[in-house]
Amino acid sequence: MMLHYLQPAKLQSKKIVFEDVFSARDPATLEHLKELSSRRRVIEESINQSSFITEAIAREMSGGLTSHCLRDLQKLEQYLPLLENLIFHVDLVCSNHRVVRWISELKIRWSSALSSSSLFNLRGPKFFQIDNLRYELGMTLYLYAALLRERAIEILPADLVQSATLFREASGVFQHLANEVFPSLQSAQSVERPLEATPSMCTVMSIICLAEAQAVTIRKAEEKGTTVGLLAKLHYGITELLGEATAIVYSNTKEYKDISSSFLEFISSCKALHELRSRKYLAESVKIGEQVGVAVGVLRDALINGKRELPGEESWRSIFGKEIDAAADMLRKFENENEFVWHEKIPSGDELPRLQGNKIANALPYHPKRWERELNFKI
């Protein structure tokens, strides 16, 4: 089983009405602005949980989709091409003082789902305003990627192949945000922003999605009877990926000073869980090679490290506990066999074999779509 953390998709936003701010020169432009507002409003109502539409009507409006997550993804896929087109045309006149004022008057505001101050604020989430359409694009894309990841979790374990693909798609969107969208906001250094609107956090989320894609791939490999030696390397590959994510977080202490402790615990717990699984498979591998004493040493080391890393969150602790129990059972079996049959010395510390990682998951590139329609403004 995998540890699940769905908090990244819990974003909220304030209302935006594009046609109330932008001055359209022709009916076609006005219609585009109204459709933008309409498409965004259904997203706002869903993420802010302010919609009064019944479940039956929502399902009918989406073409029969029963998954709330899938319905939200559909709404975002209808909104994003319209927004990309608006940004394309605004970029052509972005130096105009009237256009600058319009963007400011939109009051683009989003909350953070990973900030501790937003999570524990009794007056509701804190909203961050940045007067830039790419902030709107970035946060909407962030929500899209987080929901792709949530959908990947939702369909486990029914469809492992599709789940892994969705994790890789989410990783690609986060990668696009880190490389193409949010760097353009970095010039506004003095403006307070949510953690989600930083390239480094998007890189962290991209890596997490790759680790999760690899975890799903391992489950498929286990079903096929892949050798335990390879499984050990694949699990440790996840540990290495999450080590990269951890290094990014702790190398940007100023940027991450308000980060949620539960998010940090999720990363560290996943990292420790897959290291434990890697050591367990490594022990099986060396046992097959008739190195029972080494297998015992590997398992003893695994259990010492694993028990130190037990998470506080109950559902994670339960999964972790089952893995520790399985490793303990295996250790007892190997110890008995070594005591009565092999009588091998039990190595420890530097005498134990080193874990080796194999990272095989890669991101699927995100290609933005733009609904190409000419827009004209009164400037």
Side-chain angles (χ1 to χ4, degrees):
M1 290 184 68
M2 293 166 59
L3 306 187
H4 298 324
Y5 185 73
L6 302 179
Q7 191 61 34
K10 310 298 184 200
L11 296 171
Q12 292 187 34
S13 182
K14 294 290 188 179
K15 185 177 180 180
I16 291 178
V17 183
F18 291 94
E19 68 272 19
D20 284 357
V21 174
F22 284 86
S23 183
R25 186 176 289 278
D26 54 59
T29 300
L30 179 60
E31 187 61 33
H32 188 90
L33 293 170
K34 285 182 176 180
E35 189 168 358
L36 257 174
S37 300
S38 174
R39 297 294 185 189
R40 193 185 196 276
R41 185 171 59 255
V42 293
I43 296 168
E44 290 163 11
E45 289 174 350
S46 181
I47 64 176
N48 296 342
Q49 298 181 336
S50 58
S51 175
F52 296 103
I53 295 174
T54 65
E55 176 65 21
I57 294 172
R59 187 165 58 246
E60 186 178 337
M61 288 172 65
S62 66
L65 296 175
T66 56
S67 163
H68 185 274
C69 184
L70 268 182
R71 291 201 290 262
D72 280 351
L73 284 168
Q74 183 187 69
K75 292 166 190 171
L76 289 163
E77 286 166 358
Q78 292 169 342
Y79 174 63
L80 282 163
L82 296 169
L83 181 61
E84 291 275 8
N85 191 51
L86 176 67
I87 291 171
F88 174 81
H89 285 90
V90 166
D91 280 351
L92 300 176
V93 291
C94 62
S95 58
N96 185 283
H97 70 278
R98 187 171 293 179
V99 174
V100 172
R101 192 181 75 246
W102 288 344
I103 295 171
S104 174
E105 289 172 359
L106 283 176
K107 297 190 186 316
I108 304 168
R109 288 170 291 176
W110 285 83
S111 70
S112 172
L114 299 176
S115 163
S116 57
S117 60
S118 285
L119 291 173
F120 301 108
N121 190 341
L122 296 176
R123 293 174 296 177
K126 177 180 178 180
F127 287 88
F128 301 82
Q129 179 174 332
I130 300 179
D131 299 331
N132 192 313
L133 282 175
R134 279 184 173 75
Y135 175 52
E136 169 69 5
L137 174 64
M139 293 303 289
T140 306
L141 273 174
Y142 189 101
L143 176 62
Y144 181 65
L147 286 169
L148 283 173
R149 177 178 173 270
E150 191 169 302
R151 177 60 181 165
I153 294 168
E154 190 175 78
I155 62 174
L156 279 174
D159 192 338
L160 296 177
V161 174
Q162 180 62 13
S163 176
T165 300
L166 287 168
F167 278 126
R168 293 171 63 212
E169 284 181 12
S171 179
V173 178
F174 283 124
Q175 209 172 73
H176 175 75
L177 285 167
N179 298 332
E180 305 296 333
V181 180
F182 284 135
S184 64
L185 297 182
Q186 293 303 97
S187 57
Q189 290 292 344
S190 60
V191 179
E192 193 180 11
R193 70 194 65 225
L195 279 168
E196 289 85 346
T198 59
S200 62
M201 176 50 77
C202 292
T203 300
V204 167
M205 287 302 302
S206 178
I207 293 170
I208 287 171
C209 290
L210 286 183
E212 291 170 323
Q214 181 147 325
V216 175
T217 303
I218 290 171
R219 287 177 70 168
K220 193 71 178 171
E222 287 169 337
E223 287 180 1
K224 290 181 177 178
T226 302
T227 62
V228 289
L230 178 55
L231 290 172
K233 290 179 180 178
L234 291 174
H235 274 293
Y236 198 65
I238 294 174
T239 300
E240 290 178 330
L241 281 167
L242 295 171
E244 291 172 20
T246 303
I248 293 171
V249 171
Y250 286 105
S251 65
N252 292 274
T253 50
K254 186 178 178 182
E255 203 167 76
Y256 290 93
K257 64 176 185 267
D258 195 32
I259 194 167
S260 159
S261 58
S262 63
F263 179 67
L264 294 177
E265 185 183 33
F266 169 71
I267 298 175
S268 63
S269 298
C270 285
K271 183 172 174 286
L273 178 65
H274 288 284
E275 182 170 338
L276 174 59
R277 286 174 175 166
S278 177
R279 291 184 189 279
K280 206 173 90 180
Y281 277 122
L282 177 61
E284 282 191 71
S285 179
V286 295
K287 163 74 165 51
I288 291 167
E290 297 187 347
Q291 299 180 67
V292 182
V294 175
V296 169
V298 168
L299 285 171
R300 284 179 179 175
D301 193 50
L303 285 167
I304 290 167
N305 291 327
K307 287 174 181 176
R308 273 202 303 254
E309 299 290 341
L310 270 173
E313 208 282 324
E314 188 54 42
S315 63
W316 302 345
R317 195 179 183 87
S318 173
I319 293 169
F320 219 104
K322 287 175 185 174
E323 207 65 43
I324 286 174
D325 289 344
D329 288 342
M330 186 183 289
L331 175 60
R332 280 191 292 272
K333 179 184 170 187
F334 288 3
E335 282 177 333
N336 287 336
E337 188 173 334
N338 190 56
E339 183 180 348
F340 291 106
V341 180
W342 301 101
H343 311 293
E344 289 185 4
K345 178 193 170 190
I346 312 297
S348 61
D350 293 338
E351 298 172 321
L352 294 170
R354 282 179 167 274
L355 291 169
Q356 295 179 323
N358 191 352
K359 292 175 273 191
I360 60 170
N362 59 300
L364 292 175
Y366 173 72
H367 301 290
K369 296 186 178 100
R370 177 169 73 88
W371 188 7
E372 297 185 22
R373 181 189 287 180
E374 188 174 346
L375 303 180
N376 295 292
F377 306 107
K378 289 181 184 175
I379 54 175

